[in-house]
Amino acid sequence: MISVLLVGTGNVATHLYTAFLKADTIAITQISSRNLENIPEADLTIIAISDDAIAEVSSKINNKFVVHTSGGCAIDELKNKHNKGVFYMLQTFSKGKDFNFNDVPFCLEATNKKDQQLLDAVAKSIGQKIYKVDSEQRKALHVAAVFVNNFANHLYKIGNDICAEHKVPFEVLFPLIKETASKIESLSPEKAQTGPAVRKDKKTIKNHLDLLNINQQEIYQLLTKSIQNSVD
């Protein structure tokens, strides 16, 4: 059995704890990052907390191998005295939304081969997609993830606002959203691009802008320009 101490109680920690409870090879213990007195020993200590708190919390942990789960933080942001690593899962986590860890990419980093093998074993106890990714590669992946997830979701929010304002059910767009996401599994995003921007339909673009508020217009124009620049 591999003993794992999970520090944190947020979205990522909640999903990890639930998954590890079902793993036959993992003995899991969870504590809050606000309760760091009498920290239990473990083969692996996973800090699943906000990026800004990683340095402070890790500095208070004396266990032999400590990792964080952040995509945006380098391995050296851990301030514990012993071995360091990263256990980053490239996925969006929300409490109350179940998903299959077998579909989640685990992007792992350690400073030596033995620790890397331990991270591999822990990840394989709950998932299947294992990648060795260093801090620079992970930083790039995290920025890319912000574009395809956080920014894309904000665009969904804008689309929902427009539908609500004009009394159109947002669910009418669900099939389009699903097709757009699934299409890039067989086509590159560049080849999958459609719409008035890539066609340079000036009349349609103007009609859209006339419908939008100032903030929406700014985003629409910026993205339209970016799409057109990418195909010139």
Side-chain angles (χ1 to χ4, degrees), residues 185-208:
E185 295 181 4
S186 56
L187 291 174
S188 70
E190 182 178 5
K191 290 183 178 179
Q193 188 69 59
T194 62
V198 73
R199 294 193 302 267
K200 297 184 178 179
D201 292 337
K202 294 181 180 179
K203 183 177 180 180
T204 299
I205 291 171
K206 182 182 183 302
N207 289 337
H208 288 172

Side-chain angles (χ1 to χ4, degrees), residues 153-171 173-174 177 216:
N153 189 73
H154 183 64
L155 296 181
Y156 295 159
K157 191 265 184 188
I158 293 174
N160 189 35
D161 291 344
I162 294 169
C163 286
E165 181 179 353
H166 295 275
K167 297 180 173 57
V168 180
F170 181 56
E171 64 190 46
L173 295 174
F174 289 177
I177 292 170
Q216 293 165 353

